[in-house]
Amino acid sequence: MRNVILAESAGFCYGVERAVELAGKTADETGGCWMLGDLIHNAHVVEELAHRGIRKAEKIDGLTKEDTVVIRSHGELRSVLDELEAKGVRCVNATCPNVVRIQKLVAQAEQEGRRPVIIGEAHHPEVAGIASWCRHPLVFEGPDEVQKWLDADPQNRETPVTVVAQTTCIRSLFESSWKILKKECTNAKIFDTICNATHKRQTEAEEIAAKVDVMVVVGDRKSANTKHLTEICKKRCPRVFQIENADELSPDSFNGCSVAGLTAGASTPAGIIKEVYATMSEEIKAAGGKEESFEELLNQSFKTLNTGEKVTGIVTAITPTEIQVDVGAKQAAYIKLSELTDDPSAKPEDIVKVGDEIETYIVRVNDIEGYAELSKKRLDAVKVWENIEQAVEDKTVLEGTVTEENKGGIVVSVKGVRVFVPASQSGQPRGADLSAMIKQKVQLRITEVNRARRRVVGSIRSVSDEARKAAQEQVWANIEVGKHYTGTVKSMTSYGVFVDIGGVDGMVHISELSWSRIKTPSEVCKVGDTMDVYVISFDPEKHKISLGVKDRSVDPWEVFMDKYSVGDVASVRIVKLMTFGAFAEVVPGVDGLIHISQIADHRIEKPEDVLSEGQVVDAKITAVDEEKKKISLSIRALLAPSDEEDTADEAPVEE
């Protein structure tokens, strides 16, 4: 059997690993740099960093603008960061992204007139750093201090509060604290800021501690998350040792121990964990010191199955209702069809084959009857949650389908997990009908996960905004006068339309929409229309683009000259009425004047007595001024002459 159960999540978390990598990279680039205090809570790692040229400074007095400082993973006081900036010292911020988020939350809370409440250890550098991002923070280590503050002054219950947690806070302490505040305060906002990796590490350590004779926790004694791991393990295991390295272990620690557990804090390097694991295995064997019988060895060759654990086995048989799996245990194991897949029409043989290796979840173990019930479906669900949690840290873009609209937003199904997307993060305009998004496939990022409450929050807008920003940068990087785009009409005004040419809106003036005279853009297009446009001008600083639609390769005057001559009769459209006559469109982009004396075969007071804008009439071309591109038209010339009217031709009149 396995003498030591090693926690899968033991060792460096994402934030610590990122900080160490950033520090090493900075040292390589600069030839040596500084860290303020300990970069992470592990003396062994800090010593190794010193060998790589990363020196430790307790104060910033001696630093100059020639120096480079790496900010530790726990974060730093805002006043210190401001002073470094004032001195011109280059800073490389290795603060854990989870800590940065909490700093922003408390700063925002104070801007909104709310009192920031931090659940954590007041003297821990992470908490001190977070508190420095607001002026009047409240720091409580647990529910007792919360209740004491509430009881101290009745007005405290009326104070709007925003509640956050130290990333390594024990979940039970945080939950009991925020529940009191939620119940007794009239206006409380709660943000679960405990690191997902921390919660996973604590849960796993608790589960292992309940199964072993001795539990070993490895980590620096200054590390808060290591201390919390030890506290959690002591509740489930009577013998718990917190050590910094393998040298602190002894055979006496494992007297009477057959199975020991091992976990490690987030700042413990893999090398130390590996060394402790090997030492523990040897010490347990040495403490046992007895020769085992063949029967004992045979029994130990079988796995011990425990409800709730993962187990990998080989498919040995398939029936219409279940599959049988060899998991290397004394019990016979099987998976019901209902625990294999959610698809009621699926057949077992379509999902797995005899000989396939399959990873499953142990639902129930019956030692009396000698069988174990397994579930692949539940394990898949667990993996999905793990992937969802990892997606928060990695800021992964996921794809899902909108399944419903509910109060305040929409629900997106991501691999079977319900993700709530607030209306403000849906990517739709304020007040839009969100039900229109149902059944649409969307891309989103996960912004918040509370696995205990099965609550997941996501943002579609962050993905669409990022894509739009990238598209905008692409447009501005390649735009040039005369370049053609296929765009979409986004909005309309009385003076023109705005067209999206790939993330950037350009304006087409009404005069550029058509060669013909139009009064409103709606005469030629509508919102949503696809439009071929070209760039007339652009201003990158003001982010303004002027677009055109009219085909400049075609000269309307040449079209007119090719089609008509003096004496020809044309069907024209009245486009403008003046006191001296009417302008009529002969071909798109070319107008002619019908003088008031040439409108009718009798004297009229004003053109609108006979004509109206938009009216189509026949007119004779009586004169063409090619130099000024002016045309004279006559309706009267096509009518029988009247004795009382002057029949003299009129020269073209300027518009």
Side-chain angles (χ1 to χ4, degrees):
M1 66 180 288
R2 189 165 50 147
N3 293 323
V4 181
I5 301 175
L6 172 62
E8 292 181 8
S9 58
F12 278 1
C13 68
Y14 163 75
V16 168
E17 188 171 19
R18 173 179 174 272
V20 173
E21 288 180 358
L22 267 177
K25 182 180 178 183
T26 303
D28 292 341
E29 291 174 351
T30 60
C33 59
W34 296 89
M35 56 182 165
L36 281 181
D38 292 338
L39 184 74
I40 65 172
H41 277 162
N42 189 281
H44 176 79
V45 175
V46 171
E47 186 178 343
E48 281 190 350
L49 291 173
H51 289 310
R52 296 183 64 180
I54 306 168
R55 295 159 290 173
K56 183 165 73 170
E58 297 295 348
K59 297 182 180 180
I60 63 175
D61 297 345
L63 298 175
T64 70
K65 62 182 179 179
E66 305 298 326
D67 294 315
T68 298
V69 173
V70 181
I71 304 301
R72 59 188 171 185
S73 62
H74 289 302
E76 191 51 81
L77 296 175
R78 189 171 187 176
S79 59
V80 172
L81 297 177
D82 291 342
E83 191 174 348
L84 286 170
E85 184 179 1
K87 291 168 70 73
V89 178
R90 181 197 171 205
C91 290
V92 176
N93 198 343
T95 305
C96 173
N98 292 324
V99 177
V100 172
R101 175 176 175 250
I102 306 173
Q103 293 171 348
K104 291 179 179 177
L105 283 172
V106 297
Q108 180 184 345
E110 197 157 72
Q111 290 173 3
E112 295 172 352
R114 308 179 69 84
R115 191 83 182 267
V117 174
I118 307 165
I119 308 300
E121 300 171 57
H123 300 296
H124 191 279
E126 176 191 315
V127 176
I130 293 168
S132 71
W133 286 80
C134 51
R135 289 172 297 173
H136 305 293
L138 293 168
V139 180
F140 303 127
E141 293 201 4
D144 293 342
E145 292 184 10
V146 170
Q147 192 64 57
K148 187 176 179 181
W149 174 73
L150 289 169
D151 295 340
D153 186 347
Q155 289 297 319
N156 290 341
R157 289 174 168 81
E158 306 298 322
T159 304
V161 295
T162 293
V163 187
V164 298
Q166 183 179 351
T167 56
T168 56
C169 183
I170 295 176
R171 179 164 295 282
S172 60
L173 286 177
F174 176 59
E175 289 188 349
S176 55
S177 299
W178 73 251
K179 284 178 181 177
I180 294 173
L181 290 164
K182 189 75 172 178
K183 179 181 178 181
E184 300 203 26
C185 290
T186 57
N187 188 347
K189 283 186 178 180
I190 314 296
F191 291 91
D192 185 350
T193 55
I194 296 176
C195 174
N196 289 323
T198 296
H199 176 55
K200 181 180 178 182
R201 190 189 309 269
Q202 292 176 353
T203 302
E204 193 177 14
E206 185 176 16
E207 291 174 352
I208 293 174
K211 302 172 186 175
V212 299
D213 304 311
V214 174
M215 190 70 188
V216 175
V217 182
V218 188
D220 196 286
R221 288 185 171 81
K222 292 183 291 183
S223 167
N225 72 82
T226 303
K227 183 180 74 173
H228 293 328
L229 284 174
T230 303
E231 293 170 357
I232 289 168
C233 290
K234 283 182 177 179
K235 294 178 181 179
R236 305 302 299 270
C237 181
R239 296 163 66 189
V240 179
F241 299 100
Q242 182 180 330
I243 63 173
E244 292 191 350
N245 54 58
D247 294 340
E248 298 181 36
L249 293 172
S250 70
D252 294 338
S253 304
F254 302 99
N255 286 334
C257 173
S258 58
V259 182
L262 172 61
T263 188
S267 302
T268 309
I272 290 180
I273 298 172
K274 186 176 180 180
E275 184 180 356
V276 171
Y277 181 88
T279 303
M280 286 176 65
S281 299
E282 292 301 320
E283 298 289 10
I284 291 172
K285 289 178 183 178
K290 65 177 182 178
E291 194 173 322
E292 296 169 303
S293 68
F294 174 78
E295 183 180 359
E296 288 173 328
L297 291 172
L298 179 63
N299 287 332
Q300 290 175 13
S301 69
F302 291 115
K303 291 180 182 177
T304 301
L305 300 184
N306 297 290
T307 300
E309 287 186 342
K310 299 176 187 176
V311 63
T312 301
I314 303 296
V315 177
T316 57
I318 299 175
T319 74
T321 59
E322 66 182 37
I323 66 171
Q324 295 174 14
V325 182
D326 180 2
V327 293
K330 291 183 287 184
Q331 299 91 340
Y334 72 95
I335 305 174
K336 295 178 183 177
L337 179 58
S338 60
E339 292 296 331
L340 185 65
T341 176
D342 277 325
D343 186 356
S345 62
K347 297 178 181 178
E349 59 269 22
D350 295 334
I351 301 171
V352 293
K353 300 286 187 293
V354 172
D356 284 354
E357 185 176 85
I358 185 170
E359 189 177 15
T360 64
Y361 176 89
I362 302 174
V363 177
R364 188 159 63 100
V365 179
N366 190 324
D367 289 323
I368 297 174
E369 297 184 16
Y371 70 85
E373 188 177 335
L374 311 176
S375 173
K376 180 178 182 297
K377 190 171 70 174
R378 297 190 198 185
L379 180 63
D380 290 343
V382 170
K383 286 185 175 180
V384 168
W385 274 99
E386 290 174 351
N387 292 338
I388 290 287
E389 289 174 337
Q390 190 64 41
V392 178
E393 293 189 16
D394 297 343
K395 297 183 179 179
T396 308
V397 176
L398 303 176
E399 188 173 273
T401 302
V402 180
T403 57
E404 63 182 271
E405 176 192 13
N406 65 11
K407 186 178 180 180
I410 56 175
V411 174
V412 180
S413 176
V414 178
K415 297 180 181 177
V417 174
R418 286 167 56 88
V419 180
F420 173 67
V421 178
S424 62
Q425 298 299 315
S426 67
Q428 299 299 307
R430 184 187 297 272
D433 180 13
L434 298 182
S435 63
M437 297 182 68
I438 294 175
K439 295 185 179 180
Q440 286 186 14
K441 285 192 177 297
V442 295
Q443 290 188 318
L444 73 164
R445 278 196 179 90
I446 305 301
T447 57
E448 181 185 338
V449 176
N450 187 324
R451 191 167 175 181
R453 298 172 61 190
R454 300 186 71 80
R455 172 179 167 82
V456 185
V457 181
S459 171
I460 297 172
R461 194 180 76 179
S462 67
V463 178
S464 58
D465 284 354
E466 186 177 284
R468 186 174 180 83
K469 184 179 179 181
Q472 289 174 344
E473 291 174 352
Q474 186 72 12
V475 170
W476 284 111
N478 298 290
I479 195 170
E480 56 186 36
V481 172
K483 188 168 184 176
H484 285 256
Y485 294 92
T486 298
T488 303
V489 178
K490 303 296 287 185
S491 61
M492 304 176 70
T493 68
S494 60
Y495 53 84
V497 300
F498 288 91
V499 179
D500 184 344
I501 57 173
V504 177
D505 289 350
M507 206 273 279
V508 183
H509 192 268
I510 189 171
S511 62
E512 292 294 332
L513 280 170
S514 172
W515 285 112
S516 299
R517 293 192 188 215
I518 56 174
K519 288 186 176 181
T520 64
S522 60
E523 293 180 38
V524 294
C525 64
K526 63 181 182 299
V527 173
D529 280 357
T530 299
M531 185 176 286
D532 291 326
V533 295
Y534 60 90
V535 179
I536 295 176
S537 63
F538 62 92
D539 186 337
E541 292 185 1
K542 295 182 178 179
H543 286 260
K544 290 185 177 180
I545 302 173
S546 178
L547 303 172
V549 175
K550 296 190 296 192
D551 186 357
R552 297 290 178 179
S553 66
V554 178
D555 186 341
W557 182 258
E558 290 183 5
V559 173
F560 166 76
M561 293 298 293
D562 289 341
K563 188 173 182 180
Y564 295 105
S565 301
V566 173
D568 288 348
V569 176
S571 180
V572 300
R573 180 172 63 90
I574 306 302
V575 294
K576 194 172 185 181
L577 297 173
M578 309 293 289
T579 56
F580 52 81
F583 286 97
E585 182 183 72
V586 184
V587 296
V590 177
D591 296 346
L593 175 67
I594 309 173
H595 191 270
I596 190 170
S597 64
Q598 299 300 313
I599 291 176
D601 57 359
H602 57 280
R603 187 178 300 277
I604 60 174
E605 293 296 326
K606 49 187 180 298
E608 50 264 42
D609 290 342
V610 178
L611 301 173
S612 60
E613 290 186 5
Q615 183 181 353
V616 176
V617 297
D618 287 339
K620 184 176 181 179
I621 300 171
T622 58
V624 176
D625 185 336
E626 292 189 42
E627 183 178 345
K628 295 182 178 180
K629 296 185 179 180
K630 300 294 181 181
I631 304 167
S632 292
L633 302 172
S634 174
I635 299 173
R636 178 181 172 185
L638 301 178
L639 304 173
S642 173
D643 293 337
E644 61 180 280
E645 296 295 333
D646 183 4
T647 58
D649 288 338
E650 300 292 337
V653 178
E654 299 288 337
E655 183 176 351

